[in-house]
Amino acid sequence: DTGVSQDPRHKITKRGQNVTFRCDPISEHNRLYWYRQTLGQGPEFLTYFQNEAQLEKSRLLSDRFSAERPKGSFSTLEIQRTEQGDSAMYLCASTQPSSVADTQYFGPGTRLTVL
Amino acid sequence: DQQVKQNSPSLSVQEGRISILNCDYTNSMFDYFLWYKKYPAEGPTFLISISSIKDKNEDGRFTVFLNKSAKHLSLHIVPSQPGDSAVYFCAASENSNYQLIWGAGTKLIIKP
């Protein structure tokens, strides 16, 4: 296992379409996070899973966004009815179970462009 | 309201010299701080961290200093190498909350 992977790396879509991204965390990590990053800014927290339970959601996660982690392994992030403001890099991260605090390991991200 | 601020968008340093990247925070409840490095087209990579019970943590060429009274931390890289050219992010968290709050990043350029 070489790290956190994300698919696709790039996604171009038209406004109003739905998109889904996938994240595969490091295999022994039970915590998984989604972030959004726009140009010139640091990542912004979206949501967090511990195993299959979604424990926290940011107010940034509008009702058009939904995330799942059905078996406590990979996770998906779906954006419905995409808007141009959704264009960003979507990052996934995971942490080890014994981690006291958040040394999170990141995937390469999915860059979304909404036309 | 930005709780974590990196006021220098970019920094240029001569190879072999010391690079000092700064970060300020406003939330006194933060008790864990991290630095990440990011290359283009890659996700952030963890570099070094520090708990609020310490004021210094060192790992090879990288040292992080924490001044709780000033709500300020800094990352020192000595000596700076060309491969250190990247964007550096400061992040912070409260122990009971797994959310990381990030600064906007500082682009470090190491000149040969």
Side-chain angles (χ1 to χ4, degrees), chain A residues 3 40 100 112:
Chain A
V100 172
L112 173 65

Side-chain angles (χ1 to χ4, degrees), chain A residues 9 31 33 35 37 40-43 45 48 50 56 91 100-109, chain B residues 2 32 34 36 38 41-46 49 89 93 95 97-105:
Chain A
R9 295 291 305 273
R31 299 177 193 153
Y33 306 78
Y35 289 87
Q37 185 178 18
Q41 299 298 318
F45 171 82
Y48 152 61
Q50 178 143 328
E56 193 170 343
L91 293 163
V100 172
D102 283 14
T103 303
Q104 297 177 14
Y105 297 89
F106 283 80
Chain B
Q2 277 194 302
Y32 195 66
L34 307 91
Y36 281 80
K38 186 180 185 302
E42 295 183 12
T45 303
F46 170 73
S49 62
F89 290 97
S93 71
N95 197 39
N97 182 342
Y98 295 110
Q99 233 184 92
L100 280 181
I101 308 299
W102 296 69

Side-chain angles (χ1 to χ4, degrees), chain A residues 4 51 54 60 62 75 89-90 107 112 115:
Chain A
V4 179
N51 299 312
Q54 188 173 17
L60 293 175
S62 77
S75 176
M89 175 75 82
Y90 290 84
L112 173 65
L115 302 176

Side-chain angles (χ1 to χ4, degrees), chain B residues 18-79:
Chain B
I18 183 171
S19 295
I20 301 176
L21 297 109
N22 294 303
C23 178
D24 296 293
Y25 62 96
T26 57
N27 187 345
S28 57
M29 298 300 291
F30 288 149
D31 57 6
Y32 195 66
F33 305 88
L34 307 91
W35 285 94
Y36 281 80
K37 178 169 75 171
K38 186 180 185 302
Y39 294 119
E42 295 183 12
T45 303
F46 170 73
L47 201 55
I48 192 169
S49 62
I50 188 167
S51 164
S52 60
I53 62 173
K54 295 185 176 181
D55 54 17
K56 177 182 175 181
N57 188 27
E58 193 171 352
D59 183 3
R61 296 186 298 115
F62 302 92
T63 304
V64 56
F65 295 91
L66 175 63
N67 182 334
K68 290 188 290 294
S69 61
K71 294 192 179 69
H72 176 83
L73 63 157
S74 61
L75 174 68
H76 293 210
I77 306 173
V78 183

Side-chain angles (χ1 to χ4, degrees), chain A residues 1-5 24-26 106:
Chain A
D1 192 301
T2 57
V4 179
S5 62
D24 287 89
I26 294 171
F106 283 80

